[in-house]
Amino acid sequence: MTHIDSKNTSGLNRRDFVKGSAMAAGGIMLSGLAWDASAMTLQKPKELKLALVGCGGRGSGAVVQALIADPNVKLVAMADAFRDRLDACYSNITKDDVDGKGSLKAKIDVPEKNKFVGFEGYKSAIDLADVVILATPPGFRPYHLEYAIKQSKHIFCEKPLATDAVGIRKVLGLLEESKQKNLNIVVGLQRHYESSYREIMKRVHGGEIGDVTSGQVYWNSAGVWVRERQPDMTEMQYQMRNWYYFNWLCGDHIVEQHIHNIDVMNWAKQGYPVKAQGMGGRQVRTGKEFGEIFDHHYVEYTYEDGAIMNSQCRHIKGCMDKVTEEIVGTKGRADGSGNIVDLKGNIIYKHRGKDDPNPYEQEHVELFASIRKGGVINDLENGAKATMTAIMGRMATYSGRELTWEEAINSEVNLFPDRLAWDANPKSMPDKNGFYTIAVPGVTQVI
Ligand SMILES: NC(=O)c1ccc[n+]([C@@H]2O[C@H](COP(=O)([O-])OP(=O)(O)OC[C@H]3O[C@@H](n4cnc5c(N)ncnc54)[C@H](O)[C@@H]3O)[C@@H](O)[C@H]2O)c1
């Protein structure tokens, strides 16, 4: 027996199996052993080799989640654009106690020759693995997905899947091949792996709030980190370090963060908007360290049946912070906290999430379980179209125009640099004072 399947877990569901194995390993499932209840023996399933591409904050978290999700997975390769980021991640995950989860050293075997640095390292890392984690800034995702799918790898890949329509078309162009190869591809839109959202969506799709006519979605917060320019940096090095503020890498915060909330409304509608118009700008975060992105966007998206999504996202300190979704139907409303109310505000369902699995962990538990049983989870299409919805919003706020989905997705604006090298110039370059060109509604062309 080399696989975990419904037979050899003898009726245990995946969570029970993980819990049981975790208990056997003293709180963390590190033994690499699968319990075969029918044979009353411990068996080792086939080893799955894992590679991490993008060893920053999310990559470091995702790799730990992957390593504890499966009884016999081994990290064999790592790739990052920068050596110090790779080293920091490696020393973090090889600590004696990783975030209170114990030691993962038995599941990590990344010799120096399997640590790859630079723009091209992802290929060598992917070559060595069965399963890959893609967690770089999203501008690279289409290229990394392309290589991983061509090499027939199973994938956990973070959202967003691109930063412009050219990238989205590349990703959608890979869908057929990924399906033909039965690849498992989990996209880090983790609300899809969160019990409260799953339960709410089951009820919304079952008609509990009637026809969905509108929704409000929010990611209003103070913003994120800034990485300072160092005197010896080339422009490419600076943008790669301070990537959040450059659209070829990040897509603006409407794409990088607010995608989560936009995706929820699409999920409720079981479709994607047909047009969008909006407004936005940068009123507070105007310093050169904030590159070229806006600090606020409001977008009105329209679905085919006329339903509206009101989307707002803001990165400004000292304002109302709110990150959630509210779905409005003809019979009631559902929200991102797991509540459903009728038209009079009476609670008709409240999700009690006390024992719910952590969605970030659940993504990996389901990915590996599916690989083990020869199943297929493929989030690529929704991941690409959710990303495209957010990109369309950015196009609307940057241009001030109303754009149809067709216009947006067929845009020829390609943000990616013509050449990737530390001495190459990205397309958006600073002026002599270090400031970048900012989109001006009514002037900026996006298609
Ligand atoms: N699902 C979520 O809740 C969630 C949360 C945080 C981040 N994310 C996503 O994860 C991704 C990474 O974000 P982060 O917060 O970890 O950023 P980060 O800056 O901490 O890490 C990104 C890493 O990728 C490396 N990198 C950049 N270009 C590369 C390339 N071409 N090849 C190899 N490595 C490269 C960087 O050097 C850096 O170490 C983003 O897409 C972000 O949107 C998702």
Side-chain angles (χ1 to χ4, degrees):
M1 184 198 72
T2 53
H3 293 279
I4 298 168
D5 56 31
S6 54
K7 181 165 157 279
N8 63 32
T9 53
S10 283
L12 294 180
N13 68 28
R14 183 70 203 156
R15 276 186 71 198
D16 292 336
F17 169 69
V18 170
K19 263 193 202 159
S21 303
M23 279 161 54
I28 183 166
M29 192 178 61
L30 296 177
S31 63
L33 301 175
W35 177 247
D36 183 339
S38 60
M40 295 302 278
T41 53
L42 287 171
Q43 301 275 339
K44 202 166 191 171
K46 172 180 173 282
E47 182 177 276
L48 291 171
K49 293 185 168 49
L50 179 68
L52 171 62
V53 178
C55 308
R58 189 75 265 282
S60 301
V63 76
V64 170
Q65 282 140 6
L67 292 178
I68 63 174
D70 184 86
N72 199 14
V73 55
K74 187 162 275 177
L75 181 67
V76 298
M78 298 168 73
D80 199 282
F82 296 105
R83 180 76 213 199
D84 63 318
R85 301 302 306 266
L86 191 155
D87 288 343
C89 174
Y90 183 80
S91 49
N92 225 355
I93 61 176
T94 51
K95 285 190 304 206
D96 290 340
D97 182 12
V98 183
D99 304 333
K101 294 182 169 69
S103 169
L104 294 170
K105 285 179 201 167
K107 294 192 143 202
I108 299 172
D109 181 14
V110 189
E112 196 52 34
K113 68 179 173 47
N114 292 359
K115 293 177 181 170
F116 303 99
V117 175
F119 288 109
E120 293 297 310
Y122 71 96
K123 292 181 181 165
S124 308
I126 290 171
D127 285 346
L128 294 169
D130 305 303
V131 186
V132 300
I133 295 175
L134 304 180
T136 66
F140 294 105
R141 204 86 73 240
Y143 305 93
H144 294 181
L145 277 168
E146 180 178 43
Y147 190 76
I149 289 169
K150 296 273 171 238
Q151 301 304 314
S152 307
K153 309 299 181 180
H154 299 292
I155 300 167
F156 171 78
C157 99
E158 262 308 339
K159 44 49 66 171
L161 298 196
T163 56
D164 60 20
V166 175
I168 292 294
R169 295 200 300 274
K170 182 182 260 303
V171 175
L172 288 173
L174 299 165
L175 187 61
E176 201 43 48
E177 184 175 348
S178 72
K179 285 183 178 168
Q180 272 170 16
K181 291 179 166 175
N182 290 328
L183 300 180
N184 284 278
I185 304 178
V186 167
V187 171
L189 290 164
Q190 69 274 3
R191 284 162 174 72
H192 289 269
Y193 293 83
E194 189 165 349
S195 305
S196 61
Y197 282 94
R198 286 175 163 181
E199 189 59 40
I200 287 289
M201 285 303 169
K202 195 171 76 191
R203 289 162 183 273
V204 167
H205 296 157
E208 283 192 25
I209 63 167
D211 295 334
V212 174
T213 53
S214 69
Q216 280 72 245
V217 298
Y218 310 84
W219 194 302
N220 292 339
S221 70
V224 302
W225 46 261
V226 173
R227 294 176 186 148
E228 279 176 28
R229 189 192 288 271
Q230 303 302 321
D232 56 345
M233 280 180 172
T234 64
E235 183 61 22
M236 182 64 84
Q237 283 169 329
Y238 173 61
Q239 295 198 11
M240 286 284 289
R241 289 284 190 182
N242 199 26
W243 65 263
Y244 208 94
Y245 301 97
F246 298 97
N247 284 328
W248 71 277
L249 288 159
C250 167
D252 203 320
H253 63 106
I254 186 174
V255 178
E256 199 280 333
Q257 277 184 327
H258 192 36
I259 180 178
H260 285 296
N261 320 101
I262 288 170
D263 170 54
V264 168
M265 181 66 184
N266 286 347
W267 189 6
K269 286 302 292 174
Q270 297 178 283
Y272 303 92
V274 293
K275 61 180 182 178
Q277 69 85 23
M279 57 187 76
R282 45 191 268 159
Q283 189 170 3
V284 173
R285 259 187 346 188
T286 54
K288 51 191 165 192
E289 68 275 28
F290 300 116
E292 55 182 351
I293 76 174
F294 279 6
D295 62 16
H296 62 283
H297 303 254
Y298 164 78
V299 183
E300 177 191 66
Y301 290 96
T302 306
Y303 292 85
E304 195 161 18
D305 64 359
I308 299 290
M309 161 166 50
N310 295 292
S311 124
Q312 48 178 285
C313 58
R314 178 171 58 207
H315 271 190
I316 302 180
K317 289 186 181 122
C319 302
M320 176 198 73
D321 291 339
K322 185 167 182 170
V323 179
T324 192
E325 310 84 20
E326 184 180 62
I327 315 293
V328 182
T330 49
K331 295 203 292 194
R333 300 191 308 274
D335 69 35
S337 307
N339 302 311
I340 297 182
V341 297
D342 67 15
L343 289 177
K344 293 194 172 129
N346 302 310
I347 293 180
I348 50 180
Y349 174 75
K350 191 170 182 53
H351 185 77
R352 305 211 178 277
K354 199 164 110 350
D355 296 321
D356 285 352
N358 175 332
Y360 290 96
E361 293 172 3
Q362 191 63 13
E363 290 171 328
H364 296 273
V365 166
E366 295 188 24
L367 172 65
F368 281 95
S370 181
I371 294 168
R372 291 275 181 211
K373 71 169 200 265
V376 177
I377 301 171
N378 192 332
D379 297 339
L380 198 63
E381 183 170 5
N382 181 61
K385 290 184 176 172
T387 306
M388 188 61 227
T389 311
I391 291 172
M392 177 163 77
R394 183 193 72 216
M395 289 172 148
T397 63
Y398 278 17
S399 67
R401 286 190 48 190
E402 181 174 82
L403 293 163
T404 66
W405 177 272
E406 288 308 312
E407 284 175 308
I409 200 168
N410 288 311
S411 163
E412 288 299 339
V413 174
N414 182 351
L415 302 176
F416 207 72
D418 294 330
R419 189 169 70 90
L420 272 184
W422 295 122
D423 63 350
N425 283 338
K427 287 179 178 162
S428 175
M429 292 293 287
D431 66 17
K432 64 178 183 345
N433 298 314
F435 287 90
Y436 296 84
T437 305
I438 312 298
V440 179
V443 176
T444 295
Q445 297 295 317
V446 291
I447 54 177

